[in-house]
């Protein structure tokens, strides 16, 4: 009797999954979007690169023809000599104080007003909301002359008070509107549970609502910082003494330091780059919360 040979069967391999190939049209479309984004980014960043290369050039190399993107010699000393023209450290301190207090007051009062309009029931609540919304339709130039006369009569002219105090008395109507819409999107069961535990509106606002709305008020803080930091008109109207000016007015007066002659554009560009650093630093530090806040506010406005 013949026996069949002992044949050992090789283990069968599991079929490997081949990732589906991307459609050719989809790949071309993605590459096109990247190309458009790269082109737009290049256009946006070109002025910054031009400012940087002018800031690193000497006075004679600024107007050379044809212009060169990279200078022959790097004059890093421009970043020291330029700020000396307008007393940059003193103006920087003025801007930090004015902007810091304006941001704290504006965001804090906007959040409080938004919470009251959204979560507290009181007579005339809708009327106050319509007043805030209607105030956004008025152009700011309408109130310049009455406000200037008011602040002059009460002795606030040539002080920082007209730039800081209004932020603590309602802040920005747009921020109040956004805060109210954000608070309306939060379920009422949260503060009802806090009320069962004995919390009042102050405790609910500080301990419950502020942590929940963190992306919203951080986004408002970044926007308020940029508005106040770049504000040129109001400091120019209310501040007469140059030692009280913020950097926005000081930078505008840079060219007047060279009356009757061509300004040193290399020093001007170096100082401008230093002026731009704080807003850029604030944005990059809080970038994650800024994007979250914009997404959340956009979602709320669609509801």
């Amino acid at each position: 009797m013949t026996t069949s040979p002992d044949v050992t069967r090789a283990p069968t391999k599991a079929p490997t999954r081949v990732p589906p190939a991307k459609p050719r049209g989809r790949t071309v479309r993605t590459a096109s979007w990247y190309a458009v984004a790269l082109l737009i980014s290049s256009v946006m960043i070109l002025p910054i690169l031009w400012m940087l290369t002018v800031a690193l050039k000497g006075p004679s190399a600024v107007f050379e023809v044809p212009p060169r993107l990279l200078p022959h010699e790097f004059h890093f000393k421009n970043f020291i000599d330029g700020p000396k023209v307008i007393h940059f450290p003193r103006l920087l301190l003025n801007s930090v104080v004015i902007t810091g207090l304006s941001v704290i007051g504006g965001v804090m009062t906007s959040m409080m007003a938004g919470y009251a309009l959204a979560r507290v029931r009181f007579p005339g609540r809708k009327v106050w909301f319509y007043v805030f919304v209607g105030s956004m339709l008025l152009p700011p130039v309408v109130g310049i002359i009455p406000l200037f006369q008011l602040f002059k009569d009460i002795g606030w002219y040539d002080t920082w008070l007209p730039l800081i105090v209004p932020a603590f008395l309602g802040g920005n109507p747009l921020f109040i509107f956004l805060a109210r819409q954000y608070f309306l999107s939060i379920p009422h069961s949260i503060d009802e549970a806090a009320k069962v535990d004995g919390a009042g509106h102050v405790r609910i606002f500080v301990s419950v609502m502020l942590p929940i709305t963190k992306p919203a008020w951080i986004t408002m803080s970044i926007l308020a910082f940029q508005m106040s930091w770049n504000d040129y008109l109001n400091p120019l109207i209310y501040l007469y003494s140059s030692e009280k000016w913020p950097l926005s007015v000081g930078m505008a007066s840079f060219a007047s330091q060279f009356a009757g002659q061509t300004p040193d554009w290399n020093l001007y560009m170096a100082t401008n780059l230093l002026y731009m650093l704080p807003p850029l630093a604030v944005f990059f530090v809080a970038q994650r919360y800024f994007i979250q806040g914009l997404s959340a506010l956009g979602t709320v406005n669609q509801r």
Side-chain angles (χ1 to χ4, degrees):
M1 181 177 180
T2 61
T3 59
S4 61
D6 188 12
V7 179
T8 58
R9 296 182 177 179
T12 57
K13 293 183 179 179
T16 57
R17 290 185 175 180
V18 179
K22 291 183 179 180
R24 183 181 179 82
R26 183 179 176 184
T27 304
V28 173
R29 189 166 55 250
T30 303
S32 302
W33 277 114
Y34 276 111
V36 172
L38 184 62
L39 179 62
I40 295 175
S41 302
S42 303
V43 172
M44 297 291 289
I45 204 172
L46 187 59
I48 306 297
L49 291 177
W50 183 250
M51 288 179 62
L52 181 60
T53 185
V54 172
L56 292 173
K57 288 181 178 179
S60 59
V62 173
F63 297 103
E64 64 181 356
V65 180
R68 296 173 57 88
L69 186 60
L70 290 177
H72 292 289
E73 297 179 354
F74 291 91
H75 294 261
F76 294 102
K77 198 170 181 292
N78 293 338
F79 290 93
I80 299 176
D81 295 338
K84 288 181 181 177
V85 177
I86 59 170
H87 306 287
F88 190 87
R90 175 169 52 79
L91 299 184
L92 175 63
L93 180 61
N94 295 346
S95 288
V96 170
V97 174
I98 295 173
T99 303
L101 292 177
S102 298
V103 170
I104 292 172
V107 175
M108 182 180 68
T109 54
S110 296
M111 292 297 290
M112 293 171 64
Y115 174 83
L117 291 172
R119 318 293 286 197
V120 181
R121 296 189 176 277
F122 59 90
R125 183 177 60 167
K126 290 186 177 180
V127 175
W128 279 108
F129 174 67
Y130 294 145
V131 169
F132 282 120
V133 173
S135 64
M136 290 191 298
L137 303 178
L138 293 176
V141 292
V142 173
I144 287 181
I145 294 178
L147 286 176
F148 175 79
Q149 191 63 43
L150 171 65
F151 291 139
K152 186 179 179 182
D153 291 342
I154 61 178
W156 286 8
Y157 179 66
D158 201 24
T159 67
W160 290 346
L161 294 177
L163 307 176
I164 297 173
V165 173
F168 285 85
L169 300 176
N172 191 319
L174 175 62
F175 291 166
I176 294 176
F177 172 76
L178 294 177
R180 175 187 178 272
Q181 298 302 102
Y182 202 97
F183 281 121
L184 286 176
S185 68
I186 300 174
H188 283 271
S189 58
I190 295 178
D191 41 352
E192 288 174 358
K195 288 179 182 177
V196 170
D197 293 337
H201 281 296
V202 175
R203 181 66 179 275
I204 294 173
F205 176 73
V206 175
S207 303
V208 179
M209 292 299 169
L210 285 185
I212 294 176
T213 57
K214 188 176 180 180
W217 56 260
I218 287 181
T219 302
M220 294 179 190
S221 301
I222 295 174
L223 295 176
F225 181 89
Q226 292 186 342
M227 290 178 184
S228 180
W229 186 266
N230 296 323
D231 186 15
Y232 168 74
L233 182 61
N234 288 314
L236 185 66
I237 292 175
Y238 297 119
L239 298 178
Y240 174 78
S241 305
S242 59
E243 64 270 12
K244 298 176 183 176
W245 285 352
L247 266 175
S248 56
V249 181
M251 287 304 304
S253 68
F254 190 100
S256 65
Q257 305 291 328
F258 302 90
Q261 55 183 336
T262 304
D264 290 332
W265 292 111
N266 52 340
L267 303 181
Y268 183 73
M269 291 301 177
T271 312
N272 253 315
L273 286 173
L274 295 177
Y275 170 66
M276 293 168 52
L277 282 182
L280 289 176
V282 170
F283 174 75
F284 284 114
V285 168
Q287 182 182 13
R288 180 164 61 93
Y289 294 106
F290 183 70
I291 295 173
Q292 288 179 0
L294 287 182
S295 303
L297 291 174
T299 305
V300 167
N301 289 331
Q302 291 175 359
R303 291 175 184 175

